Amino acid sequence: MSALPNDPLTPALSPVPGARESLQSPYPASLSRWRERAGVRVGVCAALLTVAVLVPLLNLLVPIGHPLHLSDYAVALIGKIMCFAICALAMDLIWGYTGILSLGHGVFFALGGYAMGMYLMRQIGRDGNYQSDLPDFMVFLDWKTLPWHWAASDSFVATLLLIVLVPGLLAFVFGFFAFRSRIKGVYFSIITQAMTFATMLLFFRNETGFGGNNGFTDFKRILGIAIAQPSTRMVLFVITGLTLIGFYLFARWLVSSKFGRVLQAIRDAESRVMFTGYDPLRYKLTIWVISAVMCGVAGALYVPQVGIINPSEMSPAASIEIAVWAAVGGRATLVGPILGAIFVNGAKSWFTQAFPEFWLYFLGALFIAVTLFLPQGIIGLLKRRKTEPRS
């Protein structure tokens, strides 16, 4: 049965590439879809080989000094950028496909990081400066026992649950009241920024038991294994890469399902969705929680590779950066935000080394240029160049 003109799924279905050609002949559209799926398969296979085979070989087996050797610094940098790419992908689901601009995803990223950081601090044991069962910052502050929220921090399984449950629960409670009140647009963006800022101030306080301004650092082990070993860092790198690929495949399946088409319909015409019997609250709340959990997982993978977590990860600027990655790469494309995170953070890393005093100006100019000349991001530019007729 064809969609009715007032079907809320119609706006989401209309921009499918090849839709007009399919009215004239079934072959161009089907061929285009086949090529797209083939391209995705090739890209995923190439990413799997790079993450699981190529990078470990170049880092662990190619000797230092060889032109093909990949340094530990490069591995750590790529691993960190892949964590950011997961956040950008999560932002694309909530902003690009649902039309909800969040400026508070940094808090979900940091909460996942703090959950992992608490476990890593307990893994230090008596190897700290004060040789105490308590983390060093607690001994310095004259704490006698662990606070109640550290009770399960010595269990890796409990930590994995907290990485998912804490960001997910905060997102559910916040999103339920915000979406039920029909807060949207710039007002929703503002209150997500307020949530992020309030949480950051809470974690800055020493009495909350999260390390205050310094946060958590000086990690020694994970699962009893030295975290500084090259093999351990490579395992963390591979897990991060596989997680990014897994989230991409999950997001691709999600947006191509009926659930994803309803999300796009909510983005394009939420009032029509309501009039046709759909409840936007459930859909928005679900994708909001999924997006938050993805950021929490990214934060948990980020901390052991970078070696530190502090309240600065919750700063409003950090949340804005996540939105910038999605915008630079191209919203509602899935691949675009990943490319945006890689491009922006790669440029940031190079600018901070080459021009340490001026890198902020370079990045500012980059963002302005993308906003003015590339409204559809990097992916939009690549698509235009691909469709331009050759002379």
Side-chain angles (χ1 to χ4, degrees):
M1 180 181 295
S2 60
L4 296 176
N6 60 346
D7 188 342
L9 302 184
T10 301
L13 292 173
S14 58
V16 174
R20 293 184 178 178
E21 292 85 348
S22 64
L23 297 177
Q24 302 172 357
S25 171
Y27 300 106
S30 60
L31 180 60
S32 176
R33 285 194 295 269
W34 182 85
R35 288 179 176 175
E36 181 182 359
R37 291 171 183 171
V40 170
R41 294 191 186 99
V42 171
V44 169
C45 290
L48 285 171
L49 289 175
T50 301
V51 168
V53 179
L54 182 61
V55 171
L57 288 177
L58 295 180
N59 176 251
L60 298 177
L61 298 183
V62 176
I64 299 176
H66 193 279
L68 296 179
H69 174 73
L70 193 64
S71 67
D72 293 341
Y73 169 78
V75 170
L77 177 62
I78 298 171
K80 180 177 72 171
I81 292 177
M82 287 193 299
C83 294
F84 293 155
I86 295 174
C87 292
L89 183 62
M91 175 62 70
D92 194 30
L93 289 177
I94 192 67
W95 185 24
Y97 284 92
T98 317
I100 301 172
L101 174 57
S102 167
L103 297 181
H105 266 44
V107 71
F108 305 129
F109 177 84
L111 287 175
Y114 266 96
M116 176 59 76
M118 291 166 67
Y119 168 77
L120 296 176
M121 291 297 289
R122 293 297 302 278
Q123 284 278 293
I124 295 175
R126 289 183 171 268
D127 292 342
N129 295 327
Y130 296 100
Q131 299 181 352
S132 171
D133 291 328
L134 297 177
D136 282 349
F137 75 89
M138 292 187 182
V139 178
F140 179 78
L141 295 173
D142 199 27
W143 289 47
K144 303 302 181 185
T145 58
L146 286 170
W148 65 269
H149 51 274
W150 281 71
S153 58
D154 59 342
S155 170
F156 186 72
V157 175
T159 297
L160 294 180
L161 292 176
L162 290 173
I163 289 168
V164 174
L165 293 178
V166 174
L169 182 60
L170 175 62
F172 178 82
V173 174
F174 179 89
F176 177 78
F177 289 104
F179 296 139
R180 191 181 67 168
S181 302
R182 297 184 181 178
I183 299 174
K184 61 180 68 175
V186 67
Y187 301 104
F188 184 86
S189 302
I190 291 173
I191 63 172
T192 54
Q193 275 274 272
M195 174 192 67
T196 302
F197 190 70
T199 309
M200 181 186 69
L201 293 180
L202 177 66
F203 275 68
F204 264 121
R205 299 175 65 88
N206 288 326
E207 56 267 29
T208 57
F210 293 110
N213 183 60
N214 296 322
F216 304 148
T217 188
D218 196 28
F219 307 129
K220 307 291 186 184
R221 290 176 291 272
I222 181 170
L223 291 173
I225 306 171
I227 203 170
Q229 288 183 359
S231 57
T232 305
R233 292 191 172 276
M234 183 52 61
V235 169
L236 291 169
F237 174 89
V238 172
I239 292 174
T240 303
L242 295 178
T243 303
L244 173 60
I245 295 170
F247 275 139
Y248 167 76
L249 293 175
F250 168 75
R252 183 175 175 82
W253 167 81
L254 190 67
V255 300
S256 62
S257 66
K258 179 181 177 182
F259 179 85
R261 294 196 295 272
V262 174
L263 292 180
Q264 296 170 69
I266 292 173
R267 175 197 64 192
D268 297 335
E270 184 174 349
S271 59
R272 293 174 62 185
V273 173
M274 295 174 60
F275 292 152
T276 50
Y278 289 87
D279 181 11
L281 172 62
R282 291 189 301 161
Y283 289 91
K284 292 195 293 186
L285 186 58
T286 301
I287 196 63
W288 171 253
V289 172
I290 290 174
S291 181
V293 169
M294 289 174 62
C295 283
V297 172
L301 293 169
Y302 171 87
V303 169
Q305 296 183 86
V306 176
I308 188 172
I309 180 70
N310 56 44
S312 65
E313 300 295 341
M314 297 182 183
S315 67
S319 295
I320 293 174
E321 277 194 65
I322 298 176
V324 168
W325 302 334
V328 169
R331 291 185 293 142
T333 59
L334 295 182
V335 175
I338 296 175
L339 294 179
I342 295 172
F343 177 74
V344 173
N345 287 284
K348 179 179 179 180
S349 178
W350 182 79
F351 283 143
T352 52
Q353 294 181 18
F355 306 98
E357 298 179 359
F358 303 103
W359 70 271
L360 279 175
Y361 299 102
F362 281 108
L363 285 181
L366 171 65
F367 298 152
I368 293 173
V370 169
T371 303
L372 293 178
F373 304 109
L374 298 175
Q376 295 179 341
I378 297 173
I379 288 295
L381 175 63
L382 295 177
K383 287 182 178 179
R384 284 204 306 269
R385 296 193 59 169
K386 185 177 179 180
T387 56
E388 284 178 356
R390 297 180 180 179
S391 56

